[in-house]
């Protein structure tokens, strides 16, 4: 160190003021000129020995700390003992900065969102409100999963039998649970970005064009097709309820078209609710009604008097091998169609808040687990009890109409009428949650074109027109509800069982050759193969049995 550098150091030391908290305690001391600081040997110059006293949590301030330790007079042993400073104290600037960042991190973990919400998202029904919770998620999932497709589960057992029926039902239940978990985990696959719906997730995995073309037809068929089926089944349940309670009250009873019109009028009122969180009460009522009517159906089937000539032999024993294969695959399609709701998973999760401490996947998966527990307690007893009660006497229209045609006691008839009412309310609530993604698409087009929120009058008109269009298609093509196997193979299997595995491979990229990699490739390929086989079988069954095409003639 040169003489000029030594003089500058001595001047800096002498001119440094005492700290306010120590000036009142320490006595005035004469100025002491410190001896020159000798440079360390050449072999030890690579590391400053004064840095060793710095704590590991202040690594970014080590250089400043070493200089400050040399230049400050209150770091002397006497002043240090008097002030009793912490050995981690480096600079009066470092601690406030550290505390500020710590407070900011604590705030983000507690209440701060990890994602940035676009202004337009606050105008749309699915993302307008994000104050949902685990209970809301459970209600919405139950309302989306349990539907009129469950009525056909005992009918599928007629072609599969006890062993294969339970096996296929169990495998479909476990497979759907796994793929739903995948969708929930991929909702926030990138930090700061939340996926709005199934189509956006497909675009994230396969690209804009390919993702759109791959999933848009299937999602629209599931969403709009389910709404059409809900109108037919809900109107039919209303008619059956009326027949069971007051079949001779009037001379000219209402027709099926009029009952569908009544059901559509009720839907027209409820669809005016603004967003997904606003229909949480409707989903709660729908989920409760679904649990009640599935429980009443299997209890009535088990405790009713069984006919003497009932048989549990497969319904295809006398058919040719090709017809038997088609019937079995069509029954598999009916079971897969009963497991619906994957096209609404991301929309439901989009209503939940997401923070660094608790991302939306935590509350969504907890709600989904509750929903799956209730779903299992509904589907398995319904399939087993319904098949036990009717066997080969099951009608093609499902167990609901088989119960209506069966010989029941007066008390059982009263419970059956209540079951029809519960089915109607369940269809009414399911119509709302399946229609909400369509409303979101329509309003997204409006906000994208005009760059403003859709006003209440436009929302009233668009939603009313949608309900009227669905009602018209439902009464014009009432035979669509009998195509459960074909719809299950064409749309439900890819969306529910196959495509989520492909998206997991593209987005999460598991280690090549790992168990997860092999599992997802097997499920994805097997799902596509089953989709093709079930679709072909559905067409073959329609060709073999024929289908009664009655336009504008719906019937219960």
């Amino acid at each position: 160190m040169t003489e000029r550098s030594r003089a500058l150091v001595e001047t800096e030391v002498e001119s440094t003021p005492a700290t306010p908290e120590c000036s009142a305690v320490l006595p005035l001391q004469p100025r002491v000129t410190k001896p020159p600081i000798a440079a360390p040997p050449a072999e030890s110059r690579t590391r400053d020995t004064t840095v060793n006293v710095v704590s590991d949590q202040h690594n970014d301030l080590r250089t400043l700390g070493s200089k400050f330790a040399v230049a400050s007079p209150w770091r002397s042993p006497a002043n240090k003992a008097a002030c009793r400073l912490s050995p981690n104290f480096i600079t009066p600037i470092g601690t406030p900065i550290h505390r500020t960042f710590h407070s900011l991190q604590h705030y983000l973990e507690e209440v701060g969102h990890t994602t940035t919400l676009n202004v337009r998202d606050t105008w749309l029904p699915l993302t307008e409100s994000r104050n949902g919770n685990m209970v809301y998620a459970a209600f919405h999932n139950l309302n989306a999963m349990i539907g009129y497709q469950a009525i056909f589960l005992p009918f599928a057992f007629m072609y599969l039998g006890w062993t294969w029926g339970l096996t296929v039902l169990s495998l479909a239940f476990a497979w759907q649970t796994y793929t739903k978990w995948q969708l929930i985990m991929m909702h926030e696959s990138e930090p700061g970005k939340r996926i709005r719906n199934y189509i956006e997730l497909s675009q994230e995995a396969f690209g804009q064009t390919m993702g759109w073309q791959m999933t848009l037809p299937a999602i629209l068929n599931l969403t709009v097709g389910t709404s059409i089926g809900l109108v037919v089944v809900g109107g039919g349940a209303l008619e059956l309820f009326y027949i069971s309670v007051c079949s001779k009250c009037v001379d000219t009873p209402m027709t099926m078209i009029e009952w569908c019109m009544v059901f559509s009028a009720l839907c027209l009122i409820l669809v005016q609710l603004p967003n997904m969180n606003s229909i949480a009460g409707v989903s709660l009522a729908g989920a409760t009604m679904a649990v009640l009517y599935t429980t009443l159906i299997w209890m009535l089937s088990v405790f009713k008097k069984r006919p003497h000539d009932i048989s549990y032999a497969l319904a295809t024993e006398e058919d040719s091998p090709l017809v038997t294969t088609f019937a079995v695959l069509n029954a598999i399609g009916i079971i897969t169609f009963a497991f619906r709701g994957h096209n609404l998973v991301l929309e439901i999760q989009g209503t939940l808040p997401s923070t660094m401490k608790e991302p939306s996947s935590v509350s969504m998966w907890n709600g989904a687990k509750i929903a799956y527990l209730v779903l299992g307690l509904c589907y398995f007893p319904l399939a087993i009890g319904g098949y036990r009660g009717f066997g080969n006497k099951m009608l093609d229209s499902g167990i609901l109409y088989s119960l209506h045609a069966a010989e029941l006691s007066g008390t059982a008839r009263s419970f059956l009428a209540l079951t029809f009412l519960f089915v109607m309310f369940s269809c009414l609530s399911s119509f709302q949650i399946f229609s909400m993604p369509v409303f979101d698409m329509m309003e997204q087009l409006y906000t994208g074109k005009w760059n403003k929120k859709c006003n209440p009058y436009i929302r009233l008109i668009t939603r009313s027109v949608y309900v009227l269009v669905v009602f018209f298609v439902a009464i014009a093509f009432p035979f669509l509800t009998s195509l459960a196997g074909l719809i299950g193979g064409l749309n439900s299997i890819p969306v529910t069982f196959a495509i989520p595995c492909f998206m997991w491979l593209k987005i999460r990229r598991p280690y090549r050759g790992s168990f997860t990699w092999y599992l997802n490739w097997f499920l994805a390929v097997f799902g596509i193969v089953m989709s093709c086989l079930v679709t072909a079988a559905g067409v073959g069954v329609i060709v073999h049995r024929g289908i009664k095409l009655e336009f504008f003639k719906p019937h219960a």
Side-chain angles (χ1 to χ4, degrees):
M1 183 178 294
T2 61
E3 294 295 329
R4 182 177 180 182
S5 300
R6 293 175 183 174
L8 288 176
V9 171
E10 293 175 2
T11 305
E12 182 180 358
V13 170
E14 292 174 355
S15 59
T16 303
T19 56
E21 56 180 319
C22 299
S23 58
V25 178
L26 297 177
L28 296 177
Q29 299 178 359
R31 296 182 180 179
V32 179
T33 303
K34 289 191 174 183
I37 302 176
E43 61 272 8
S44 61
R45 288 180 183 176
T46 57
R47 185 175 181 181
D48 192 352
T49 56
T50 58
V51 179
N52 295 330
V53 299
V54 182
S55 176
D56 292 336
Q57 61 182 337
H58 297 290
N59 292 330
D60 55 339
L61 298 175
R62 285 183 175 180
T63 304
L64 178 61
S66 61
K67 295 180 180 180
F68 188 76
V70 174
S72 294
W74 61 74
R75 297 291 292 179
S76 62
N79 291 354
K80 181 177 178 181
C83 296
R84 302 185 183 277
L85 295 175
S86 172
N88 290 335
F89 181 84
I90 304 301
T91 170
I93 303 178
T95 301
I97 292 178
H98 174 72
R99 291 176 180 174
T100 302
F101 278 108
H102 179 74
S103 300
L104 180 61
Q105 180 183 6
H106 179 74
Y107 171 77
L108 291 174
E109 290 178 352
E110 291 294 334
V111 297
H113 291 277
T114 61
T115 56
T116 302
L117 185 63
N118 195 325
V119 177
R120 291 184 179 179
D121 290 343
T122 61
W123 300 341
L124 301 176
L126 294 178
T127 53
E128 183 178 1
S129 174
R130 280 183 169 171
N131 57 354
N133 51 43
M134 179 189 70
V135 180
Y136 283 19
F139 294 160
H140 289 315
N141 276 285
L142 272 176
N143 192 24
M145 290 190 301
I146 303 179
Y148 69 89
Q149 295 89 342
I151 299 173
F152 299 97
L153 286 177
F155 177 76
F157 272 53
M158 291 176 55
Y159 300 93
L160 296 174
W162 287 111
T163 303
W164 283 107
L166 288 175
T167 301
V168 173
L169 185 62
S170 301
L171 289 177
F173 180 82
W175 193 349
Q176 190 213 24
T177 306
Y178 174 67
T179 53
K180 176 165 280 191
W181 173 82
Q182 288 180 318
L183 292 177
I184 293 173
M185 294 299 125
M186 288 187 292
H187 176 74
E188 295 177 271
S189 56
E190 295 183 5
K193 182 178 180 180
R194 300 183 68 175
I195 305 298
R196 289 177 47 83
N197 50 44
Y198 198 100
I199 299 175
E200 285 190 8
L201 183 60
S202 178
Q203 291 175 323
E204 187 74 18
F206 309 115
Q208 295 292 324
T209 304
M210 185 177 179
W212 178 273
Q213 296 174 351
M214 181 183 297
T215 56
L216 179 64
I219 293 298
L220 287 180
N221 287 335
L222 282 177
T223 304
V224 182
T226 302
S227 300
I228 294 172
L230 289 170
V231 172
V232 176
V233 176
L238 270 177
E239 184 178 12
L240 293 176
F241 172 74
Y242 173 78
I243 294 174
S244 301
V245 174
C246 187
S247 59
K248 299 180 180 180
C249 294
V250 293
D251 297 334
T252 56
M254 296 172 61
T255 63
M256 179 65 177
I257 294 180
E258 293 173 333
W259 286 115
C260 290
M261 188 180 299
V262 172
F263 180 84
S264 300
L266 296 176
C267 292
L268 193 62
I269 297 173
L270 289 181
V271 295
Q272 305 307 325
L273 294 174
N275 52 60
M276 182 73 84
N277 272 336
S278 64
I279 65 172
V282 178
S283 293
L284 171 61
T288 305
M289 297 300 170
V291 173
L292 289 177
Y293 83 71
T294 53
T295 304
L296 286 174
I297 287 175
W298 72 259
M299 290 182 65
L300 289 173
S301 303
V302 169
F303 293 109
K304 79 174 185 62
K305 183 180 179 180
R306 289 186 294 171
H308 298 288
D309 58 344
I310 190 174
S311 174
Y312 299 103
L314 297 181
T316 58
E317 288 186 348
E318 299 179 357
D319 296 330
S320 63
L322 181 61
V323 174
T324 300
T325 303
F326 282 165
V328 170
L329 290 174
N330 185 67
I332 295 176
I334 292 175
I335 292 179
T336 57
F337 187 46
F339 290 96
R340 65 180 192 181
H342 271 48
N343 55 312
L344 297 173
V345 173
L346 299 174
E347 286 85 343
I348 296 173
Q349 190 172 354
T351 64
L352 304 177
S354 182
T355 63
M356 295 179 64
K357 187 175 183 180
E358 184 175 350
S360 61
S361 58
V362 176
S363 53
M364 180 63 181
W365 178 236
N366 290 333
K369 288 188 290 186
I370 298 174
Y372 271 107
L373 176 62
V374 179
L375 179 72
L377 295 177
C378 293
Y379 273 18
F380 284 91
L382 175 62
I384 296 172
Y387 184 55
R388 180 186 179 277
F390 289 94
N392 61 346
K393 302 298 180 180
M394 184 81 61
L395 298 178
D396 293 345
S397 52
I399 191 173
L400 197 63
Y401 298 95
S402 300
L403 282 172
H404 178 68
E407 296 181 1
L408 301 177
S409 61
T411 304
R413 285 287 175 186
S414 302
F415 282 107
L416 183 60
L418 194 62
T419 302
F420 295 145
L421 190 63
F422 289 161
V423 171
M424 188 276 298
F425 279 116
S426 176
C427 293
L428 185 63
S429 61
S430 296
F431 188 91
Q432 315 310 315
I433 195 169
F434 274 89
S435 300
M436 197 62 69
V438 181
F439 301 154
D440 187 84
M441 290 181 185
M442 293 189 296
E443 295 190 19
Q444 192 172 6
L445 293 175
Y446 178 86
T447 56
K449 182 177 180 58
W450 301 103
N451 196 24
K452 63 178 181 179
K453 185 177 181 179
C454 185
N455 61 66
Y457 300 104
I458 299 295
R459 177 176 289 180
L460 174 64
I461 294 173
T462 54
R463 296 188 179 189
S464 301
V465 169
Y466 173 78
V467 174
L468 293 177
V469 170
V470 169
F471 165 73
F472 176 79
V473 176
I475 64 173
F477 309 98
F479 53 86
L480 293 177
T481 55
S482 60
L483 305 179
L486 178 60
I487 297 175
L490 190 62
N491 300 316
S492 182
I493 292 180
V495 171
T496 304
F497 300 100
I499 296 180
C501 298
F502 280 121
M503 292 191 294
W504 185 267
L505 291 169
K506 292 289 290 184
I507 295 177
R508 288 304 179 93
R509 300 182 182 276
Y511 179 72
R512 185 181 181 88
S514 63
F515 173 77
T516 305
W517 188 83
Y518 281 115
L519 175 65
N520 283 277
W521 269 113
F522 171 76
L523 294 178
V525 175
F526 183 69
I528 294 298
V529 172
M530 286 301 300
S531 175
C532 297
L533 293 176
V534 171
T535 302
V539 175
V541 169
I542 293 175
V543 172
H544 175 71
R545 298 179 184 175
I547 185 172
K548 194 174 183 180
L549 302 178
E550 293 182 343
F551 299 95
F552 295 96
K553 291 183 179 180
H555 56 84

